[in-house]
Amino acid sequence: MNTDKNESPMTQILADLKALAIGFATTFKHLFQKPFTEEYPEYKRPLPARSRARIILTRDPDGGERCVACYLCSAVCPVSCISMQSAEQADGRRYAPWFRINFGRCIYCGLCEEACPTAAIQLTPDFEMCKQDILALVYEKEDLLVDHGGKDKQYNFYQYAGVVTDVGEKGTHIKEEKPVNIRSNLP
Amino acid sequence: MPKLIIDNQEIDVQPGTKVIDAAEQLGIMIPRFCYHPALGSVGACRVCAVKFLQGPFKGVQMSCMIDAKDGMVVSTTDEEAVDFRKYVIEWLMLHHPHDCPVCDEGGHCLLQDMTVAGGHGLRRYQGKKRTHHDQHLGPLVQHEMNRCIQCYRCSRFYQKFSGYRDLGVLQIGERVYFGRYQAGTLESPFSGNLIDICPTGVYTDKPSRFIGRRWDYERTPSLCINCSLGCHTVVSTRYREIVRQEARFSEAVNGHFICDRGRYGFFYASQEKRPRYAQINGNEVSWEKSIQTARDQLNRISQESGPGAVASVGSVRSSLETQAALSRLCQKKGWQGPVYWIDHGQEMNVKTAAAELADELAVSLRDVEQADYILAVGADPVNEAPMLVLALRQAQRMGAKVCFLDPRPIGLPFSFQHISVAPQAMDLILAHLLKETIDQDTIKGLEPHEKKIFDAIPNNSHLVSSNQKLLNAVANDIRLSQRLVIVCGTDVVSETIPERAAYFARLLAKMGKQVGLFYLLPGANAFGAALLSDDAPTFGRILDEIEAGLVRALVLVENDPYGYYPDRPRLERVLQQLDLLLVMDYLDVRTIQDADVFLPTLTLYEAGGFFVNQEGRIQKASIAYQGGHPISQFSNGNHPPRSFRNQIPGKEAQPAWQALIELANENSATPKQGVRADILAWLVKTHPLFSKLPPDNAFPSDGIRINPGKDIHFRSAADRLVVPTLASESADQMELITVDWTFGTEELSTRSPHLRKMESKPCVFMHSNDAAQLDISEGDKVAVRSDTGIVSIHVTITDNMAPGVLIIPRHQRLDWQHLGASKITVSKDQIRKIREEEPC
Amino acid sequence: MGVRLSEIIEVHAGGMRDGAEFKACLPGGASTAFLPGEFYDIEMDFETMRKAGHRLGTGAIMVFDQKTCLVAATLNLTEFFARESCGWCTPCREGFPYMRDLLWRIEHGQGQEEFISILSQMCRHLWNSYCAFAPGGVAPIESLLAYFEDEVHAHIEKKKCPFNDK
């Protein structure tokens, strides 16, 4: 507010009244405008695809589980809310027989997604996870696993990795030569 | 002492130190792949390049190939060297597969570390990646050749260091391949070390494949108790389960490596069948109730028939704390025991070994590597103490000669001399060698009692004359050698051998030679048992007393007579006669079925403890985890239970020493804290030998050696060197001995599902002459009849053993316990060929 | 010893073929550097060659005319060294196939400007190999970049081999 000592008291009062009038006018004007406020939960605003909330485990384009249980997400997790066990599947894939995320602890920082080398673990925009029972926030693998590829639809780790699985033998992965024949001296 | 400057820091190093090691002493870790302290420098990987600014070498050179010299100025951070190292990493990563997430090495991979440290992030190379087929290398080692960076460590370890030939390098140039000519199980019992030395994930641990990451494991220094050598290990624990065991460096004992029996012998600790709850007559009860019942019953029997009616049996696989607690209990209650030895022969051999191993004669496993002649008597290292093979191999590589005096078909991965004579004849041959070797001056200077022993050695017999040429050569080699080690077994040898070996060693020392004596004992803590067993009777004697009704109660502490007692029918019968059988163990031993009271105990991984190895070295195993039911078993492989409890399930077991002290006390209010310290205090008080024992927090990594020498008094092992005699030889008689095998006979490792896959089928070894005489051919099945039963077994014929001897393994898949004794004499008509399907 | 290169080519070897001009030669087998035209009259003895920064090598002289693509020739030589490496040390085992790949790409129109600096750096680093095989093997590449860099650039710019009209 203008507090210039040289102005007369009358000028000051007028200036104050003007300011009041502008304030009320603004308010009055907005009474007839469409409000910006969204009525949650009646209205649910679509969030950007990259907003970070509930975590999922995705699948590769062929429907296989992407998670290879490499433990990188659990290692990077700053609140240690991810735990799992790795094992070998009959087709040679490394996988997680169980995979657990404690959403009671999760801070949705997204470091697990960043660490994941197979694009398996991804954060989704679904943030509505409030539960009365704290144990209900402990999600097991069956709760986390989805049947799509999430943000990265095409990636299949086993097409790049040089290990033998149902996805491919040695030498059949992307940018690989045929295996060396160690019994031949021919070039 | 060369003085050099590395990165502006000055350092004095021992002559012969490589620049890479000198830098490490300064805390500068120069990258390396092919260099390994045990395997030496070969300059293959070129990643340890540094720039030499001044001194005899100039420019970029490999720091592993150059000895530190005076006046050298070295820079590890020079631009040219750093750029070169960067390129080396790039070259090594050209064909590296994109599989770290599914590689078990990830997290402790040297290549991963160096790649990240070198700043290599993006692959510039646009060509295709070279690939290789993998090989099946057996149940222990997983092969993934795509990850190879051609450091040659594996072939250098496998062929040069350990002497086995079936894994090596194939092809040249960028096609270089490391593997076997044909896929198949690796022949070396040290194959697990490939996993440790491989700087990347070409060889990974198969039993722990895809289980966890190094960063999630709790790693604890521990010991291997699968033979008497006491190698140092580090165990990895996760979710209440030992997942993996690796070698831990030890300057004095095992160096960088361990054998496969030790590496994979830990699975007994998390066996599904492991008893975890106290039992009375087979019903699960609380620990307190079990203790109370046992205490009441023992007191009752003690009062009714005197304390001598209670006998306790200790174990050579128990920690020193447990052995001491048992001694204390026996002393307090007046019970018989602790019993440790099966029969008089074993007692004599082990106690003699402990008493003869004077401080000046005892050598460590690593000292054996320095010898220039090694005479092994009645020792079969591959089967009895595998790591000794590697020590012998190192000595042999440095030019030492190795000679074995043993009836068994000794197999070693290098050339050696083998005098194969029957066990009964070994003492005579050894005595003869001694006589041939010791010079006249030394004999003249002998003390009268030593001279008497020398004079008692008989002159030539037909046995000597048939081996004359070899014996002369050996005697000559011994005379010429400077640093001798005499290795002496205590299993198949007769009772005079351990003492004779020590006598030989003392005489050689008198001749001015540097002599070491190296015994092999029947268990990880057999030395401790020898020191603590006093004058207790043997197990065989206790069985006599049970039969006679003199002993009514038996306490078995981590001791399974079904495993070792050679007369099973008698054992079964006699144990039935007991009024009380109290069993304490952490294994699923058969005696639990017979036990009136059973108390579960803890393994060394859960309880820790001291163990005394065969050279008298007390070593400490730390507590690796708190015990309890492994989560993988508790939740059937599924996720851990979604419920909370305040106790670890299956964690009722206590250390055996805790149980023993609770038994000794009159009420159940034994505190859980301070018990171990009490026991150790008692041990130091009653056995001054242990007064050198440092406190836990200051316990040296390589342990401390206690060698009582003759100071320790053994009633049964008094000076009594006898004249070697030879039992009357009859062409019709054969000596039958039972022996250990690397895999399949030792009670802890046979509980490992992975080592079971390594076991060969039990077979009897027979000399080709005997086989021809009996009209038996390779692979035939024979029935060997003894006084107490029949053992049917397949035959393996060899010339590499003593004729007139049958060798049967104490194999867990063989009912050898029907033989009646661990060494027997059978006449040839007791051996009969049977048809395959014929029941025995 | 001491005979001039020109004499060897013109007199003892019967001279260049019709229409062929001397462009360069390998004075002593595959593991020596290219001798460009300016050394046409050099005396072939150890001392003179050493002073000129070259080696006499095995004495097996290979002459290239103006119609020969030296990138292709070097690729051929590098192919040989990549195959002949024993596989013991990293620079030689992995470096030669890497350089072969780069040269192949240049020759086949997939070259990029930064390949030249990678090649020259690698040539320098291959001198730190275990034995003398690799330092010899990089000599043609080093000299290719030293004397015929323009030819390499032409490959990269035109996205094809300028000697190959197809």
Side-chain angles (χ1 to χ4, degrees), chain B residues 79-334:
Chain B
E79 206 180 317
E80 193 187 342
V82 171
D83 192 51
F84 176 65
R85 294 204 297 261
K86 245 181 156 151
Y87 260 96
V88 173
I89 297 281
E90 183 179 356
W91 285 321
L92 293 176
M93 293 300 291
L94 292 185
H95 303 284
H96 199 76
H98 181 86
D99 64 353
C100 290
V102 294
C103 174
D104 272 326
E105 192 82 359
H108 58 284
C109 174
L110 201 57
L111 180 64
Q112 218 173 30
D113 293 351
M114 292 308 144
T115 308
V116 174
H120 178 76
L122 286 172
R123 204 160 153 267
R124 291 193 292 186
Y125 178 66
Q126 296 171 17
K128 286 184 171 179
K129 290 179 188 178
R130 161 182 78 221
T131 60
H132 287 288
H133 285 301
D134 306 325
Q135 287 180 333
H136 174 79
L137 298 178
L140 306 178
V141 181
Q142 177 77 29
H143 195 223
E144 184 68 50
M145 198 36 219
N146 279 359
R147 298 173 186 147
C148 184
I149 56 166
Q150 293 87 12
C151 69
Y152 293 81
R153 273 192 193 179
C154 56
S155 58
R156 280 152 65 209
F157 168 77
Y158 205 87
Q159 301 203 343
K160 207 168 152 197
F161 192 88
S162 54
Y164 290 85
R165 309 289 304 170
D166 61 305
L167 180 136
V169 200
L170 294 101
Q171 281 288 348
I172 60 157
E174 54 171 341
R175 300 150 64 87
V176 161
Y177 186 88
F178 297 85
R180 288 166 54 94
Y181 186 68
Q182 305 244 266
T185 303
L186 293 168
E187 285 164 17
S188 165
F190 308 100
S191 62
N193 293 303
L194 294 175
I195 301 159
D196 284 1
I197 55 163
C198 179
T200 174
V202 176
Y203 305 96
T204 49
D205 197 66
K206 213 171 203 173
S208 71
R209 180 163 160 85
F210 289 178
I211 286 191
R213 291 273 176 225
R214 172 70 69 89
W215 63 68
D216 281 336
Y217 294 156
E218 281 178 76
R219 285 159 56 78
T220 317
S222 191
L223 294 172
C224 169
I225 56 167
N226 294 39
C227 82
S228 59
L229 295 178
C231 294
H232 293 208
T233 66
V234 49
V235 288
S236 299
T237 326
R238 181 169 176 267
Y239 288 152
R240 300 203 292 259
E241 193 167 3
I242 308 266
V243 179
R244 198 175 161 182
Q245 181 159 248
E246 289 150 278
R248 174 163 59 100
F249 176 71
S250 149
E251 190 53 59
V253 187
N254 54 308
H256 288 86
F257 306 109
I258 54 170
C259 72
D260 289 349
R261 181 158 102 190
R263 184 179 297 265
Y264 301 106
F266 63 85
F267 285 90
Y268 65 88
S270 46
Q271 243 193 325
E272 215 150 334
K273 287 187 288 184
R274 180 174 160 186
R276 296 185 184 273
Y277 299 96
Q279 295 172 17
I280 294 178
N281 297 323
N283 304 315
E284 281 183 14
V285 294
S286 73
W287 172 272
E288 286 73 22
K289 183 155 186 225
S290 239
I291 288 273
Q292 192 58 48
T293 310
R295 189 191 291 133
D296 293 347
Q297 298 259 21
L298 288 166
N299 285 347
R300 183 177 56 80
I301 291 168
S302 218
Q303 275 160 15
E304 285 171 13
S305 314
V310 180
S312 74
V313 187
S315 168
V316 291
R317 64 170 149 97
S318 288
S319 65
L320 196 60
E321 289 88 335
T322 299
Q323 291 179 346
L326 185 61
S327 288
R328 187 181 173 185
L329 176 65
C330 290
Q331 207 180 71
K332 185 173 173 185
K333 299 278 191 180

Side-chain angles (χ1 to χ4, degrees), chain B residues 691-702:
Chain B
S691 55
K692 285 194 282 181
L693 214 60
D696 272 358
N697 54 4
F699 200 83
S701 151
D702 270 335

Side-chain angles (χ1 to χ4, degrees), chain B residues 42-46 60 62 83-84 87 90-92 94-95 124-127 130 149-150 152 172-174 176, chain C residues 83 85-91 93-95 97-98 100-101 105 112 115 118 121-122 124-126 128-130:
Chain B
V42 292
C45 74
R46 316 306 275 182
V60 172
M62 302 310 129
D83 192 51
F84 176 65
Y87 260 96
E90 183 179 356
W91 285 321
L92 293 176
L94 292 185
H95 303 284
R124 291 193 292 186
Y125 178 66
Q126 296 171 17
R130 161 182 78 221
I149 56 166
Q150 293 87 12
Y152 293 81
I172 60 157
E174 54 171 341
V176 161
Chain C
R83 207 186 317 137
S85 167
C86 78
W88 177 249
C89 74
T90 312
R93 183 188 60 240
E94 307 291 354
Y98 195 164
R100 174 190 60 195
D101 182 73
R105 278 172 204 284
Q112 291 161 14
F115 286 2
I118 298 180
Q121 283 169 23
M122 264 200 281
R124 190 157 40 82
H125 287 319
L126 254 69
N128 294 322
S129 295
Y130 188 86

